[in-house]
Short mmCIF file of all heavy atoms in Angstrom, two decimals:
data_model
loop_
_atom_site.label_atom_id
_atom_site.label_comp_id
_atom_site.label_asym_id
_atom_site.label_seq_id
_atom_site.Cartn_x
_atom_site.Cartn_y
_atom_site.Cartn_z
N SER F 164 -5.54 4.48 8.09
CA SER F 164 -5.70 3.17 7.49
C SER F 164 -4.39 2.55 7.01
O SER F 164 -4.37 1.41 6.54
CB SER F 164 -6.77 3.16 6.44
OG SER F 164 -6.46 4.04 5.43
N VAL F 165 -3.30 3.29 7.10
CA VAL F 165 -1.99 2.64 6.87
C VAL F 165 -1.70 1.65 8.00
O VAL F 165 -0.87 0.79 7.89
CB VAL F 165 -0.83 3.68 6.75
CG1 VAL F 165 -0.95 4.43 5.47
CG2 VAL F 165 -0.77 4.61 7.93
N ASN F 166 -2.36 1.84 9.13
CA ASN F 166 -2.35 0.89 10.22
C ASN F 166 -3.19 -0.32 9.84
O ASN F 166 -4.40 -0.22 9.60
CB ASN F 166 -2.96 1.61 11.46
CG ASN F 166 -3.06 0.68 12.67
OD1 ASN F 166 -3.14 -0.55 12.50
ND2 ASN F 166 -3.08 1.27 13.83
N PRO F 167 -2.58 -1.52 9.69
CA PRO F 167 -3.30 -2.68 9.17
C PRO F 167 -4.53 -3.07 10.02
O PRO F 167 -5.47 -3.71 9.49
CB PRO F 167 -2.26 -3.80 9.14
CG PRO F 167 -1.07 -3.29 9.85
CD PRO F 167 -1.17 -1.82 9.96
N TYR F 168 -4.55 -2.73 11.26
CA TYR F 168 -5.72 -3.05 12.10
C TYR F 168 -7.00 -2.35 11.62
O TYR F 168 -8.07 -2.85 11.78
CB TYR F 168 -5.43 -2.72 13.57
CG TYR F 168 -4.34 -3.55 14.19
CD1 TYR F 168 -3.25 -2.98 14.83
CD2 TYR F 168 -4.38 -4.95 14.09
CE1 TYR F 168 -2.23 -3.74 15.36
CE2 TYR F 168 -3.36 -5.71 14.63
CZ TYR F 168 -2.26 -5.11 15.26
OH TYR F 168 -1.28 -5.86 15.78
N ARG F 169 -6.78 -1.12 11.07
CA ARG F 169 -7.97 -0.42 10.52
C ARG F 169 -8.59 -1.22 9.36
O ARG F 169 -9.81 -1.41 9.32
CB ARG F 169 -7.50 0.96 9.98
CG ARG F 169 -7.31 2.05 11.05
CD ARG F 169 -8.65 2.69 11.40
NE ARG F 169 -9.38 3.10 10.20
CZ ARG F 169 -9.17 4.17 9.46
NH1 ARG F 169 -8.29 5.06 9.88
NH2 ARG F 169 -9.89 4.43 8.38
N ILE F 170 -7.75 -1.77 8.50
CA ILE F 170 -8.27 -2.56 7.38
C ILE F 170 -8.98 -3.81 7.92
O ILE F 170 -10.04 -4.21 7.40
CB ILE F 170 -7.12 -2.95 6.44
CG1 ILE F 170 -6.36 -1.69 5.95
CG2 ILE F 170 -7.59 -3.78 5.26
CD1 ILE F 170 -7.10 -0.76 5.07
N GLU F 171 -8.34 -4.44 8.90
CA GLU F 171 -8.99 -5.63 9.50
C GLU F 171 -10.40 -5.32 9.97
O GLU F 171 -11.32 -6.05 9.70
CB GLU F 171 -8.11 -6.14 10.66
CG GLU F 171 -6.81 -6.78 10.26
CD GLU F 171 -7.07 -8.01 9.39
OE1 GLU F 171 -7.84 -8.92 9.85
OE2 GLU F 171 -6.50 -8.11 8.29
N GLY F 172 -10.55 -4.26 10.69
CA GLY F 172 -11.88 -3.91 11.21
C GLY F 172 -12.87 -3.58 10.12
O GLY F 172 -14.03 -4.03 10.11
N GLN F 173 -12.39 -2.88 9.12
CA GLN F 173 -13.29 -2.44 8.05
C GLN F 173 -13.71 -3.58 7.12
O GLN F 173 -14.78 -3.52 6.51
CB GLN F 173 -12.62 -1.32 7.24
CG GLN F 173 -12.71 0.03 7.96
CD GLN F 173 -11.95 1.17 7.30
OE1 GLN F 173 -11.39 1.99 8.01
NE2 GLN F 173 -11.87 1.18 6.03
N LYS F 174 -12.94 -4.65 7.07
CA LYS F 174 -13.30 -5.81 6.21
C LYS F 174 -14.63 -6.44 6.64
O LYS F 174 -15.27 -7.13 5.88
CB LYS F 174 -12.16 -6.83 6.11
CG LYS F 174 -12.07 -7.69 7.35
CD LYS F 174 -10.92 -8.69 7.28
CE LYS F 174 -10.87 -9.53 8.59
NZ LYS F 174 -9.70 -10.40 8.71
N THR F 175 -14.99 -6.19 7.90
CA THR F 175 -16.23 -6.82 8.43
C THR F 175 -17.49 -6.36 7.67
O THR F 175 -18.52 -7.01 7.72
CB THR F 175 -16.44 -6.47 9.93
OG1 THR F 175 -16.52 -5.05 10.12
CG2 THR F 175 -15.31 -7.03 10.75
N ALA F 176 -17.43 -5.19 7.01
CA ALA F 176 -18.54 -4.72 6.23
C ALA F 176 -18.88 -5.70 5.14
O ALA F 176 -20.07 -5.98 4.85
CB ALA F 176 -18.31 -3.33 5.69
#
Side-chain angles (χ1 to χ4, degrees):
S164 58
V165 291
N166 175 336
Y168 295 126
R169 281 276 312 279
I170 305 294
E171 287 298 308
Q173 282 173 216
K174 77 183 180 188
T175 59

